Amino acid sequence: MLWTLGCTMNTTTAATYTTINGATTTGVSMWLFLLLCPPVLALLCSKLLRAFGLSPLAAARQKLPLPPGTMGWPYVGETFQLYSKNPNAFFAEKQKRYGSVFKTHILGCPCVMISSPDAAKFVLSTRATLFKPTFPASKERMIGRQAIFFQQGDYHACLRRLVVRAFGPDAIRDKVAGVEAAAIAALRSWNGRLINTYQEMKTYAFNVALLSIFDKDELCYIEEVKQCYYTLEKGYNSMPINLPGTLFHKAMRARRQLAERVAEIIASRRKRGVAATDLLGSFMEGKEALTDDQISDNIIGVIFAARDTTASVLTWIVKYLTENPRFLQAVTEEQEEVRRSKEQAEEGDKCLTWAHTKKMPITSRVIQETLRVASILSFTFREAVEDVEYQGYLIPKGWKVLPLFRNIHHSPDFFSEPDKFDPSRFEVAPKPNTFMPFGNGTHSCPGNELAKLEVLALLHHLTTKYRWSLPESGNGIQFAPFALPMNGLPMRVSLKT
Ligand code: HEM
Ligand SMILES: *[C@@H]1O[C@H](CO)[C@@H](O)[C@H](O)[C@H]1NC(C)=O
């Protein structure tokens, strides 16, 4: 069930959850640093030998040609080209030249990049069993080897059932009041301040995630869980050197402590005989119940998947709405309408309901368009588990396969004037596999309903009660690790008068 990566590639690029961040000097220096580390040097040598043809390519064994494209220099591959410009420009240029399936070589890994709906469907859905998820070993250690992202087959299917049970629409509809309270509290704490929007959205998304994992009675443990997670996070993009004093070492210790806290919560639930419908409850109950270690790996995994993603989408939405007053106006009017209908409810019931959130078409299209334009997860990683034929080409066993979501989302074939922010384009449903902000198939995002609810609840209160301004209105982008407006989009927020 577990595999080790035969490739160091992702040591700097955190698989699914890191966009390869071109154009940033940190990206380049980090990876030069990586090259200097001895185990990498050793590996590099073997890669060089391989790249110079000293081991036969799978292509030679089979008669099929490899996809078009260039492999660049051995080992280094085309990484410098990738890093020397905006990665999206790199992908786009390649696609223009070679079509929607092309080969390249980045950070030591031969890979095939795909950017057509049909190829994405092939890799993510119809032939998903031929392509396993792939992450660097250090990331696996940090999140926990038994977490859902790294799995395939029966264990994956079982985990997915448990996660979907806690995050599916039926479970989420009970969380609306809690999510709304978290949104109100977040906004209240911003009032009158100049905030770093991204940082504040991270806090909000963290609180919502914790709310759907644990029970209110477990609040006393949650502060500790948070602290452990913050330390863990600091080590996430550090060098994976496990020596006392390093960030990586501290992170590994924090994850052990986090696992201990989770074990205490589990023990206390068992003692109290609590049967909850939250994620922890789902993991603990029934004949598919998980072990304590499996539970803590998956709780860390869900926080990891839920927080920075949702926070960066929220940050982009604020930016796009502010820059497009027409759509801001339309969203505000729609939310005012919802607010009026809330006020008509019985005393004590004046809350946002699941039904309200399903009647926000304009706001929902703004969210879709933000997901498309920003495409914060520009691509994901898979690895071919055997030689695979696709449209007459060979994808050799062991090669990485990258569905390029962002390219598909920005293709003029499916979205006219793709760089323009225009939510009204979603008045017509996009064609299958042209719009996949939450992926598709066996590993698609089980948290998408919660993510949308979170965004709607925040926008509801932000647009109806507050006014705001963005003192730094540039177009600068930073990578942290997702593409983000520069400096986390500083925002001044105050109550409407
Ligand atoms: C707007 C915010 C979010 C976006 C854009 C997003 C996007 C994605 C994408 C594209 C994938 C598939 C990756 C792949 O196929 O390799 C994924 C997987 C996943 N997401 Fe999300 N996600 C978001 C929020 C959340 C939230 C709030 C949660 C948890 C409640 C969550 C939990 C997960 C999990 C557990 C997986 C792994 C599923 C598996 O491997 O079977 N995500 N997400
Ligand atoms: C996911 O794939 C299925 C099968 O190809 C397709 O019907 C569906 O529309 C796809 N979902 C998205 C969001 O594109």
Side-chain angles (χ1 to χ4, degrees):
M1 191 165 59
L2 293 172
W3 58 88
T4 41
L5 277 180
C7 184
T8 52
M9 165 176 194
N10 309 335
T11 333
T12 52
T13 53
T16 326
Y17 289 91
T18 308
T19 48
I20 288 197
N21 46 17
T24 58
T25 44
T26 45
V28 177
S29 58
M30 195 157 85
W31 107 258
L32 280 177
F33 185 41
L34 179 89
L35 281 179
L36 297 177
C37 113
V40 176
L41 276 178
L43 229 148
L44 197 148
C45 294
S46 70
K47 295 280 176 193
L48 278 171
L49 291 180
R50 290 248 306 272
F52 278 121
L54 298 182
S55 92
L57 265 177
R61 293 196 302 269
Q62 302 226 344
K63 288 277 159 10
L64 293 170
L66 291 167
T70 50
M71 300 300 272
W73 292 91
Y75 184 74
V76 177
E78 300 195 297
T79 313
F80 282 127
Q81 282 96 313
L82 179 64
Y83 275 76
S84 61
K85 52 184 113 174
N86 179 328
N88 303 316
F90 172 86
F91 296 146
E93 199 177 289
K94 287 274 179 188
Q95 184 184 337
K96 207 165 142 198
R97 184 125 165 232
Y98 300 111
S100 59
V101 178
F102 59 86
K103 67 171 182 289
T104 181
H105 199 246
I106 47 170
L107 290 167
C109 296
C111 55
V112 174
M113 298 191 171
I114 59 167
S115 55
S116 73
D118 183 67
K121 177 176 162 186
F122 181 84
V123 172
L124 298 173
S125 306
T126 45
R127 307 307 298 277
T129 53
L130 300 178
F131 302 94
K132 66 181 184 190
T134 165
F135 277 75
S138 63
K139 306 299 184 213
E140 265 188 45
R141 277 170 73 192
M142 202 157 277
I143 294 175
R145 294 187 199 283
Q146 307 192 70
I148 185 167
F149 319 100
F150 315 127
Q151 315 306 327
Q152 262 198 309
D154 293 343
Y155 178 57
H156 178 257
C158 160
L159 279 177
R160 247 189 109 83
R161 275 194 296 278
L162 303 182
V163 174
V164 168
R165 179 160 82 182
F167 291 127
D170 288 337
I172 292 305
R173 71 171 66 227
D174 296 336
K175 306 280 177 203
V176 180
V179 174
E180 182 180 31
I184 292 172
L187 285 160
R188 205 169 272 158
S189 77
W190 305 349
N191 187 27
R193 288 172 53 207
L194 174 65
I195 59 161
N196 176 317
T197 307
Y198 180 58
Q199 288 305 325
E200 296 294 334
M201 294 298 188
K202 267 168 63 159
T203 304
Y204 168 59
F206 202 175
N207 288 336
V208 172
L210 291 170
L211 196 98
S212 51
I213 297 172
F214 300 110
D215 196 69
K216 282 194 285 298
D217 302 339
E218 290 152 0
L219 277 175
C220 50
Y221 298 95
I222 286 178
E223 204 39 52
E224 281 181 81
V225 168
K226 268 188 168 171
Q227 291 311 322
C228 293
Y229 190 83
Y230 288 135
T231 310
L232 177 61
E233 183 188 39
K234 286 203 195 94
Y236 188 75
N237 284 317
S238 68
M239 291 285 295
I241 300 173
N242 204 359
L243 290 176
T246 61
L247 284 175
F248 188 81
H249 188 81
K250 287 182 186 151
M252 295 307 282
R253 195 177 54 205
R255 87 171 304 294
R256 278 193 303 277
Q257 287 165 346
L258 205 158
E260 283 161 20
R261 295 292 88 75
V262 171
E264 284 167 28
I265 300 175
I266 295 171
S268 136
R269 272 200 192 188
R270 292 213 173 99
K271 213 161 78 201
R272 288 179 296 146
V274 179
T277 58
D278 51 25
L279 185 69
L280 181 57
S282 184
F283 284 156
M284 286 173 64
E285 263 153 52
K287 58 181 186 313
E288 295 185 318
L290 305 179
T291 66
D292 287 9
D293 278 348
Q294 287 172 329
I295 293 177
S296 64
D297 286 7
N298 278 289
I299 284 179
I300 294 172
V302 163
I303 297 173
F304 170 72
R307 198 176 64 132
D308 296 10
T309 45
T310 315
S312 58
V313 168
L314 277 160
T315 306
W316 281 112
I317 291 196
V318 169
K319 181 167 167 68
Y320 293 144
L321 278 180
T322 314
E323 287 171 358
N324 294 275
R326 190 160 65 90
F327 293 112
L328 175 56
Q329 173 84 20
V331 166
T332 308
E333 277 164 18
E334 179 171 82
Q335 296 301 333
E336 287 291 354
E337 185 67 34
V338 172
R339 185 182 177 177
R340 280 191 292 275
S341 86
K342 275 165 72 182
E343 273 159 12
Q344 280 154 16
E346 299 283 309
E347 200 56 50
D349 275 344
K350 297 190 185 301
C351 293
L352 208 55
T353 62
W354 181 249
H356 287 135
T357 66
K358 293 292 153 190
K359 278 188 229 132
M360 300 179 176
I362 298 172
T363 316
S364 297
R365 288 198 289 268
V366 165
I367 298 173
Q368 285 180 298
E369 180 67 343
T370 300
L371 289 166
R372 187 192 68 81
V373 176
S375 289
I376 53 149
L377 298 178
S378 341
F379 56 84
T380 186
F381 279 97
R382 295 290 188 271
E383 183 182 312
V385 297
E386 54 186 77
D387 284 352
V388 181
E389 184 192 335
Y390 177 70
Q391 289 192 344
Y393 293 123
L394 173 69
I395 302 175
K397 177 178 176 183
W399 281 38
K400 307 290 175 196
V401 178
L402 284 69
L404 303 180
F405 297 131
R406 195 192 168 91
N407 278 36
I408 303 177
H409 296 168
H410 283 255
S411 163
D413 298 343
F414 316 120
F415 300 97
S416 62
E417 293 186 76
D419 295 334
K420 186 172 159 200
F421 181 84
D422 179 10
S424 66
R425 66 173 87 239
F426 282 97
E427 283 164 18
V428 180
K431 296 200 181 68
N433 298 296
T434 59
F435 179 59
M436 294 170 287
F438 296 106
N440 201 357
T442 32
H443 286 274
S444 69
C445 183
N448 75 86
E449 285 290 344
L450 181 63
K452 285 183 265 187
L453 170 63
E454 236 172 296
V455 176
L456 290 171
L458 195 109
L459 287 180
H460 175 67
H461 290 280
L462 178 67
T463 57
T464 54
K465 293 200 208 127
Y466 293 86
R467 60 176 77 254
W468 67 89
S469 61
L470 306 177
E472 294 177 26
S473 59
N475 284 324
I477 291 183
Q478 74 181 73
F479 293 88
F482 310 120
L484 267 183
M486 203 48 120
N487 300 326
L489 195 70
M491 168 163 71
R492 204 178 292 284
V493 187
S494 58
L495 272 173
K496 279 184 186 169
T497 40

